[in-house]
Structures are given as C-alpha cells and as structure tokens.
Amino acid sequence: TFSVNMLNFYQLDCKVIQFLLCWLPISLFSQEQTSGIFNDLNEALKQPSKVIELSLEGKNLEAVPVEIQKFYNLKYLSLDSNLISSIPMWLSSFEKLQEIRLNKNCLTIFPESITFLEQLVTLELRDNQLTIIPNSIGRLYNLSKLDVSGNKISLIENGFFKLSNLK
C-alpha cells in the first residue's frame, strides 16, 4: 500500500531531482570555466588568463584563431578535425604549451613554429598531408609522444633521431 508519508517523500524526491536537473548542468559549466578547460573560443576570451586547455575540434576553422594569442597560460591545444593548412609563427611563443593536437587538418608542411616549443610533450599530427619530418624537430627534447600516422612521410631528417624521450 501507498501511504501519505510515502507520497510526501516521493514528492520531495521529485523536487530534489528537478532541482538537480535544473542546476547540475549550470554548475558543471561553471566548474569547467573555473578549471581552465574551454571548448568555446568566445567563453575562453572572457577569462583569457584562466585558459589552460582549449579544444576547438570540428569547428571548420581554416586558420588558427589569432585570439588564441591572449591565452598565455595555455598548456593544451586541440584543433583536431578542422581545415587548417598552416600554423602561425606566433604559436612558438607559448612557453607553457605541453600538448598540441592537429589531427585531421590540411597540413602539408611540418609546422616549424611548433619546433620551438621546448615544453612540448605530446604532438599529434595524424591524418594530414605531411611528407617530411624536418631536422628542426630535434629541438623538442621533451617530446615523448609523436603521432604522424596517416600521412605520406617519405623523408625523416636526422633531428628526429635526437628525440630520446619518444615512447
């Protein structure tokens, strides 16, 4: 049997559930913003000093947005699945950048600017149109993960063999 006390408890539970359903997504969104993880450029631009991770995957970008220059604390950048064909030289100024993902873009030349990122640990360039791994990659002495699969690499220059931390 169903008692009045059970009904009151049931109604209370429904109110709690309604509250959680209404507020949980907002609190998760807020948590995302305070943690420094962003997947929307406009939201990130509201707090540029807090941006640590930026993921702009599948946004049909033809170029790396210049606004990214404002995110001087950036450690992780993902621009996967876009239409990017070149990487600007200003990207080399990101001293804290540790991981870059440029998978599934339109890169034909290995991005020289990336080879100046001394803190870089992970570099993903899978499924582009690269043919050469240049000598300058040897500057990335902290690099432990390099993914260039799905490219048509025909030449690996000597700098690659200096990467002693690759796994």
Side-chain angles (χ1 to χ4, degrees):
T1 61
F2 199 71
S3 71
V4 173
N5 286 339
M6 290 175 76
L7 182 60
N8 286 339
F9 180 75
Y10 175 75
Q11 287 175 340
L12 177 64
D13 277 354
C14 286
K15 287 181 181 180
V16 169
I17 290 170
Q18 269 184 323
F19 174 81
L20 288 173
L21 289 175
C22 289
W23 290 103
L24 188 60
I26 292 171
S27 65
L28 283 176
F29 180 75
S30 299
Q31 178 70 26
E32 210 173 70
Q33 304 314 308
T34 58
S35 68
I37 301 168
F38 293 83
N39 60 13
D40 181 271
L41 185 58
N42 291 326
E43 286 299 316
L45 286 168
K46 293 177 184 175
Q47 305 177 62
S49 66
K50 293 187 178 181
V51 179
I52 294 171
E53 294 186 18
L54 181 62
S55 179
L56 300 176
E57 298 176 9
K59 305 278 187 187
N60 291 319
L61 301 173
E62 294 181 9
V64 177
V66 294
E67 294 87 351
I68 290 176
Q69 292 180 77
K70 297 179 181 182
F71 309 139
Y72 53 86
N73 287 317
L74 195 63
K75 291 183 179 180
Y76 171 89
L77 177 61
S78 178
L79 297 168
D80 287 350
S81 302
N82 282 293
L83 304 169
I84 298 169
S85 59
S86 65
I87 304 302
M89 201 60 191
W90 54 257
L91 193 70
S92 64
S93 66
F94 284 91
E95 296 174 358
K96 298 177 183 178
L97 203 53
Q98 297 175 1
E99 183 170 341
I100 300 177
R101 297 182 60 186
L102 291 161
N103 301 313
K104 298 181 181 178
N105 275 286
C106 302
L107 298 171
T108 57
I109 298 173
F110 196 95
E112 186 69 22
S113 58
I114 289 175
T115 66
F116 291 99
L117 299 170
E118 294 179 0
Q119 299 304 314
L120 202 62
V121 175
T122 301
L123 176 57
E124 295 186 14
L125 296 164
R126 187 177 60 250
D127 298 321
N128 279 282
Q129 300 162 22
L130 302 174
T131 57
I132 298 173
I133 297 180
N135 197 41
S136 56
I137 198 170
R139 291 192 285 253
L140 299 176
Y141 53 86
N142 285 314
L143 199 64
S144 62
K145 180 182 179 188
L146 173 65
D147 187 351
V148 291
S149 61
N151 286 284
K152 296 179 181 175
I153 305 295
S154 59
L155 177 62
I156 299 174
E157 294 184 348
N158 288 336
F160 172 81
F161 302 102
K162 295 178 183 176
L163 301 175
S164 59
N165 292 320
L166 281 182
K167 296 175 183 169

